[in-house]
Amino acid sequence: MMTTSIPENIGDYLPILIPLALLQFGLILVAVLDIVKQKHFKFGNRTLWILVSCLISIIGPILYFTFGKGEKE
């Protein structure tokens, strides 16, 4: 019988998990606020970039700022 190993003390991982969670939510917040303000996108539309930014963890907002964000007028 195979058993899974569950960490006995999740507190040992908090110094790593808390900054990663803050980074993720911060990037999502900044990306979504920027998406709402944008009128033009290099690729896609507002709905696509909100979904990508919210659903693809840390990579989604980075993809938006790299490939989706249009030029400011």
Side-chain angles (χ1 to χ4, degrees), residues 4-65:
T4 58
S5 175
I6 299 173
E8 291 183 24
N9 188 2
I10 195 74
D12 294 340
Y13 297 101
L14 287 180
I16 295 170
L17 294 177
I18 290 174
L20 286 176
L22 290 174
L23 175 67
Q24 178 177 350
F25 292 121
L27 278 172
I28 290 171
L29 179 65
V30 170
V32 169
L33 289 175
D34 193 70
I35 291 166
V36 170
K37 293 178 190 174
Q38 279 293 342
K39 294 181 181 179
H40 303 286
F41 301 92
K42 291 181 193 174
F43 173 76
N45 59 26
R46 182 171 284 127
T47 305
L48 170 74
W49 287 115
I50 287 175
L51 288 173
V52 167
S53 294
C54 291
L55 297 178
I56 306 180
S57 194
I58 292 175
I59 304 298
I62 293 171
L63 287 173
Y64 164 69
F65 287 116

